[in-house]
Amino acid sequence: MSREEILEKLNEIFQDMFDDEDLEITEETVADDVEGWDSLMHISLIEEVEDAFDIRFTMVEVNGMQNVGEMVSIIAERM
Amino acid sequence: MKFRELEKNCRKSTEGFAEHMTLAILGDCATQHLAKAIRGYAYTKEIAMDIFDADYDQMEAQILDPGSELYEKQPDAVLLWFCTEKLYAAFCKCTDRSRFAEEMMEKYKRYYALLEQRLGGRILQFNFTEQDDRVFGNYANKTAESFLYQLRKLNLMLMEEAQLQKNLFVIDLAYLQNQYGMEKIKDAKMYYLAKMPLSTHILPQVAAEVLSVLEAIRGRIKKCVVVDLDQTLWGGVIGDDGMEHIQIGELGQGQAFSDFQNWLKELRKRGILLAVCSKNEEDTAKEPFLKHPEMVLRLEDIALFVANWENKADNIRYIQKTLNIGMDSMVFLDDNPFERNLVRSLIPEITVPELPEDPSQYVSYLQSLNLFETASYSGADKDRTRMYREEMDRKDLQKQYGDYEEYLKDLEMKAQAKPFDPFHYARIAQLSQRSNQFNLRTIRYTEQEVEHLAKSKDHLTMYVTLQDKFGDYGLISVVVLDKMPSDTLFISEWLMSCRVLKRGVEEFIMDQIVELARKNGFQTVTAEYLPTAKNAMVSELYERMGMNKEGEGRYRVSVSEYQAHKTCICQEGELQ
């Protein structure tokens, strides 16, 4: 799966979770850019993404992700 | 259902929902996701759930401090969540490990006492998910000093405590762990990162369990299972194959059907009514119940047997009317998708599980739905089917009489009215949770509250038992009276089992209430009717009983002017 494909799949998950069909995330998107992306939502998001891609993030990764791009990189590495 | 959907439900408006509940969640771990799951799940049941979710390090303070937000909020119920991770940490610090479970239980009991005293509502508590540190390996089962030993013991002690503390309800997380496995329910990193002992993947199931218990406490329970016969209770078609060839017991896939029948029989013993609804000739359909040596269910297990060629929705309506229970308390089991869809579309209130095609999956599938949650159980439940069958005999007798009054006289009814006593606390609480139709103010009492009322000086209480020549109805009515100023007695609750309607029992009880007032020196009896979606049948009860309407739903009668009724019920024993 290419970075673009991963991002596309992530975008669908984000749209669904934040209940916003117009949401368009990029690799530069950070939590502050998305309404409702707080620390609680981050946990649900992580578990949803793990499920969707059938991967597990490590504790350090969950804590250290700075933007969507970093999430994409980790997923790309695992697939 | 997925957690994500529940989370979204939390953002939807609950305006217009008839049911409201308030729940406090107190955990020694992070509970915000759980709170969302519960609120989102309540939404699917059209319940507006208001949740007070305390911070995890606030748990003790909320319980101990009499001025805490918890006590200010006065929630209907409190959910306690002590997690296994914290339990293990405490265990590691404990010096007398063989007594660890007892020590923890002592602490919980102090909490229960405070909550009981300051809130009086229901307490729900998760039991512990099982986990072993494998420090002893399998030897953990052989020493009281192992964590596994103490954890399992504590889970058992919770069950024992819940039998004593009638307000305490255990929610079985260990069961969910068993069903879904460690992999699905936990992710260690989430505990380290966010103090979350459970993964969001399992929270919908956890929320479902919590809601089941809360709803059962509110009286939303299943009372009857309506079953089809061919391919549901046995393999094959009785009308075509004949009794010798239906699959039950040793024949063909018979064992799966036997186990299914066995499970239904267990439900029957717990007090769930079984009714048959089958497209068959009645005699053919009944034959296996009478003659087949391997049938687990016999005719006396079935409260009502309906076999004909009418459509099933009509038959189910007939069953519902005859048993006199709410349609939403019924479950319909049929292997045929056509019948299921027909019933579902014509009777939306009834629960129609989507039975798997493979009969070997019937039991495990139905068990996974947890349809039969209850908030009470008494030994008398196993007799419920017998009582309904006796009721059918009465109706048969009634048909032979032209004059209803004559029929009532011939029933030889005897009733007893007595103040609440410890032998009946459980049944009184249960009846208060089950009665929806004949229920004047729909107050639900737990056993603990019943006991409190029995001992209180501010109340008079009464329960009524009834029997007739066909059998014993047991305890059929509950009355709670509040002593008010100026010699007034207020009927703060009156509920009755609908099985005994139209026999003069209401009149008998009203007479008893006024008599009780007279004996205790009261001049006036007042009463109130609070309407709900289900109790319209008693909207005019008090007027019929001879009370005077004073305002919307409020009634009054003076003891000296009250005219006692003429009934066909013989009173046994003396009032208090």
Side-chain angles (χ1 to χ4, degrees), chain A residues 13 16-19 40-41 43-44 46-48 50-51 56-59 62-63, chain B residues 2-4 7-8 11 32-33 36 183 187 189-190 192-194 196 199-201:
Chain A
I13 297 172
D16 189 38
M17 291 207 61
F18 293 102
D19 234 350
L40 275 188
M41 204 57 182
I43 297 292
S44 333
I46 291 293
E47 297 211 86
E48 284 293 335
E50 285 185 335
D51 235 22
R56 283 282 163 119
F57 296 112
T58 67
M59 185 164 66
V62 176
N63 246 356
Chain B
K2 294 186 86 176
F3 178 74
R4 211 204 281 190
E7 194 161 47
K8 279 192 214 164
R11 289 174 228 147
Q32 299 98 317
H33 285 89
K36 281 189 179 185
E183 179 76 2
D187 182 346
K189 72 170 175 284
M190 289 309 180
Y192 296 123
L193 288 171
M196 275 176 62
S199 142
T200 53
H201 298 136

Side-chain angles (χ1 to χ4, degrees), chain B residues 450-495:
Chain B
V450 169
E451 183 181 352
H452 170 77
L453 287 168
K455 292 176 176 165
S456 156
K457 287 200 170 61
D458 304 325
H459 301 87
L460 292 172
T461 60
M462 185 196 298
Y463 71 81
V464 181
T465 56
L466 182 72
Q467 61 184 80
D468 66 18
K469 70 175 180 185
F470 288 103
D472 195 345
Y473 293 90
L475 193 157
I476 44 93
S477 184
V478 172
V479 177
V480 177
L481 304 159
D482 293 357
K483 297 179 183 173
M484 309 294 272
S486 57
D487 293 334
T488 299
L489 201 52
F490 172 62
I491 308 175
S492 79
E493 180 59 311
W494 179 5
L495 54 95

Side-chain angles (χ1 to χ4, degrees), chain B residues 17-29:
Chain B
F17 284 4
E19 281 216 61
H20 292 257
M21 280 191 208
T22 51
L23 175 72
I25 303 180
L26 301 175
D28 59 3
C29 49

